[in-house]
Amino acid sequence: MNCFNHPEVSSIGICKSCSKGLCPNCAADLDHGLACKNKHESQVESLNMILDKSAKAYSAAPKNIFIAPIFYLFMGLVFAGFGYFSREGVTGLPFVMGVGFIIFAVVIFIRNRDIFKATKDA
Ligand SMILES: [Zn+2]
Ligand SMILES: [Zn+2]
């Protein structure tokens, strides 16, 4: 392929934004690809940023979906255990709150798992 602006010069690559051939004089070398100099540099740069961000969010997802549920589950067990062994027993407020936390943890886990699945399929 030859340069879009200079048909007699062979291209070194294509613009990531418009897919036209670029010679060394027309190409702006960005981190992850080439762009038409003074034309599509900012487009390609923001495109790279979006790709970068989604790649980071994706790699962080498997860990993040467990953090909140585990936290609430732990809180629930502490409250429920405390309530269970306290004088009030299973009818006392701490135990009921503990059970509430545990249910909340399960709900968050299921919801996060669905979000994770949805982003994986996309
Ligand atoms: Zn371009
Ligand atoms: Zn050129």
Side-chain angles (χ1 to χ4, degrees), residues 32 47-57:
H32 303 284
L47 186 74
N48 283 340
M49 229 156 67
I50 293 163
L51 291 176
D52 233 41
K53 248 186 220 157
S54 57
K56 265 176 208 147

Side-chain angles (χ1 to χ4, degrees), residues 73-122:
L73 186 67
F74 177 75
M75 291 289 288
L77 290 175
V78 168
F79 271 99
F82 174 78
Y84 185 77
F85 291 109
S86 76
R87 219 153 22 96
E88 293 170 283
V90 295
T91 55
L93 187 64
F95 185 81
V96 174
M97 269 175 72
V99 172
F101 271 127
I102 292 170
I103 292 168
F104 195 51
V106 171
V107 170
I108 290 177
F109 174 72
I110 291 169
R111 203 199 57 181
N112 285 4
R113 203 187 48 177
D114 286 348
I115 291 171
F116 178 60
K117 265 194 208 151
T119 52
K120 216 168 140 190
D121 290 341

Side-chain angles (χ1 to χ4, degrees), residues 15-20 22 35-36 39-40:
C15 170
K16 225 176 174 181
S17 176
C18 63
S19 300
K20 281 170 188 161
L22 298 167
C36 303
K39 220 167 139 196
H40 291 136

